[in-house]
Amino acid sequence: MGLHCNDKEQLVTESIAGEIYDQNADQMVITNTENSSTNEGQSDDHLSIDATDKNSAEEDAYNEWKMRHPSALNKFDKMMSIAKEKKLVVFLDYDGTLSPIVDDPDRAFMSDSMRSAVSKVAQYFPTCIVSGRRRDKVYDFVRLNELYYVGSHGMDIMAPLKCSKNASSSFHEKAIDENGNEVVVFQPAQEFLPIIKEIFEELEEKTKEIPGIMIENNKFCVSVHFRRVDEEYWGVLEEQVVEIANKYPSLHLTRGRKVIEIRPSIKWDKGRALEYLLDTLGFANDGDAIPVYIGDDRTDEDAFKVLRNRGEGYPIIVSSIPKDTKASYSLRDPSEVMSFLLLLFKWKRSSSVDWEY
């Protein structure tokens, strides 16, 4: 179908237990026994001083990192001075960006104030939610009809009716959105649906004895959430997931924050989805358009890379700790994301520049 990835390095070759770690504020290394034994026997005062020093060092490291990835709030006026005569298109990840990261993925609710902020931005700018979750599940969380929704890391896109000229029409089908409008659904991994369902059922059965495990069928990928799984079970989890994934050479493993995912090995990701949506919205070759992409996860790096390669747009990472990223700007957490969105809304509302999309 022209989208398959033949790169053997993307197949199931990674060890999970020796490398899994959370990449945000709740970072937790798999083994830390050396530090635990070192702390034994120390006084509470000593431990308090050590904790203070550690917090201070972490804050210093974060501030140094922000010199290279400055706050999008602090740089807002400069960013908008460049964007004043251009057309902004807003892309937003969901988990960790619009909602906090929680132990139970089914309870990752966004606040009413965040929903209001997103709705206000969508009044003036094309606004797209780009998530690794199922598209319909993301919609159930957000519940805003005026947005565009992208699920399964870009493999399930609901876009305006005019289709991309650069994408194969065999992956498109017409549908009706929640407003009764005719739209096009783009799903480049349709052929994998039976395999994904099969893997989901097999993983549920294989891992059912692991306390705290949650297996999520995100339609075009299977997500294994281990945020509530005790560290002692991680090795067993590794064996079980890799054993199952190895039986399907057309799939590969990827990682997010406390989640392992089995996905089709096709050349499609959040970055490709961003390009596709810009195309369908009429901005693919429009030098006057500036995409703003806000996300917190490894999978968002594909979109950041696209913006870097385009030489235009604002890739913004959401993180409270230093991390390797291709983003140019940063926001600490969802509360700062909401502040940024409200600033964007107020800036556009007060701007004399007006355009419709």
Side-chain angles (χ1 to χ4, degrees):
M1 55 190 264
L3 288 171
H4 284 288
C5 178
N6 295 318
D7 187 354
K8 295 296 184 182
E9 293 182 359
Q10 289 193 352
L11 298 180
V12 182
T13 60
E14 299 173 297
S15 170
I16 299 172
E19 198 174 328
I20 293 178
Y21 60 95
D22 203 324
Q23 296 222 6
N24 212 305
D26 53 352
Q27 184 179 27
M28 178 174 64
V29 181
I30 293 178
T31 56
N32 197 24
T33 55
E34 181 178 349
N35 290 341
S36 297
S37 62
T38 301
N39 289 335
E40 288 181 1
Q42 293 182 348
S43 68
D44 291 342
D45 289 342
H46 193 174
L47 289 175
S48 178
I49 293 173
D50 287 347
T52 300
D53 290 343
K54 180 181 179 182
N55 291 338
S56 177
E58 290 175 348
E59 189 66 23
D60 288 344
Y62 181 70
N63 289 333
E64 193 277 331
W65 176 80
K66 284 184 66 176
M67 296 292 291
R68 301 189 303 277
H69 309 284
S71 168
L73 293 176
N74 295 340
K75 296 295 182 179
F76 183 84
D77 290 341
K78 180 179 179 181
M79 294 164 68
M80 293 306 110
S81 68
I82 298 173
K84 187 174 182 179
E85 303 298 330
K86 297 181 181 291
K87 303 169 184 176
L88 266 65
V89 186
V90 179
F91 298 87
L92 302 166
D93 180 34
Y94 184 75
D95 293 276
T97 299
L98 298 181
S99 72
I101 296 294
V102 295
D103 287 344
D104 184 353
D106 286 337
R107 300 192 62 80
F109 304 121
M110 67 189 303
S111 66
D112 290 340
S113 54
M114 178 67 86
R115 182 174 293 103
S116 175
V118 174
S119 180
K120 287 178 178 178
V121 166
Q123 292 178 27
Y124 291 111
F125 310 106
T127 303
C128 314
I129 306 295
V130 186
S131 174
R133 292 178 181 264
R134 294 176 64 104
R135 176 167 53 85
D136 54 354
K137 183 173 288 188
V138 178
Y139 176 81
D140 287 341
F141 277 131
V142 179
R143 290 183 283 113
L144 292 173
N145 293 333
E146 60 267 34
L147 308 184
Y148 303 107
Y149 291 89
V150 177
S152 302
H153 302 292
M155 288 180 282
D156 190 5
I157 301 175
M158 185 177 71
L161 184 58
K162 58 177 182 177
C163 298
S164 169
K165 297 179 181 179
N166 300 322
S168 171
S169 60
S170 62
F171 305 132
H172 293 97
E173 59 183 50
K174 293 181 181 179
I176 303 297
D177 69 8
E178 291 77 8
N179 290 320
N181 300 317
E182 196 171 16
V183 297
V184 63
V185 175
F186 178 65
Q187 298 175 336
Q190 289 181 20
E191 67 179 89
F192 292 93
L193 284 174
I195 299 177
I196 293 297
K197 182 177 183 295
E198 182 178 322
I199 290 178
F200 170 72
E201 293 173 351
E202 191 171 353
L203 277 169
E204 277 204 317
E205 177 63 26
K206 190 79 171 180
T207 64
K208 65 182 181 182
E209 301 300 326
I210 298 180
I213 192 70
M214 177 177 176
I215 313 298
E216 188 176 19
N217 184 345
N218 282 316
K219 192 168 184 176
F220 293 100
C221 67
V222 178
S223 301
V224 182
H225 298 275
F226 61 96
R227 184 169 294 275
R228 296 188 294 178
V229 174
D230 288 340
E231 180 181 325
E232 63 180 292
Y233 293 101
W234 288 6
V236 175
L237 177 62
E238 171 190 357
E239 294 176 2
Q240 294 176 342
V241 175
V242 171
E243 179 184 350
I244 291 174
N246 271 332
K247 296 191 297 185
Y248 301 89
S250 61
L251 307 176
H252 69 281
L253 290 182
T254 61
R255 297 191 183 94
R257 292 168 59 183
K258 291 293 190 300
V259 61
I260 313 157
E261 293 182 316
I262 302 178
R263 299 164 55 183
S265 292
I266 65 172
K267 293 181 179 178
W268 199 265
D269 51 38
K270 288 185 177 182
R272 298 290 185 97
L274 182 150
E275 292 178 310
Y276 172 87
L277 279 163
L278 288 175
D279 193 359
T280 60
L281 289 167
F283 303 134
N285 300 309
D286 190 343
D288 289 335
I290 294 187
V292 177
Y293 190 107
I294 307 178
D296 75 304
D297 201 58
R298 293 185 185 185
T299 57
D300 297 308
E301 293 294 329
D302 295 317
F304 296 157
K305 182 179 179 180
V306 165
L307 295 189
R308 282 293 187 100
N309 291 341
R310 288 172 64 97
E312 61 183 7
Y314 298 130
I316 304 172
I317 183 74
V318 182
S319 180
S320 60
I321 63 170
K323 63 169 65 174
D324 291 334
T325 180
K326 295 179 178 66
S328 301
Y329 300 93
S330 67
L331 294 167
R332 182 179 284 268
D333 52 34
S335 67
E336 287 199 352
V337 173
M338 184 170 66
S339 296
F340 180 86
L341 295 178
L342 290 174
L343 278 176
L344 195 58
F345 164 72
K346 293 174 182 177
W347 169 80
K348 180 59 185 177
R349 186 176 59 177
S350 63
S351 173
S352 59
V353 178
D354 195 18
W355 61 279
E356 298 293 337
Y357 69 88

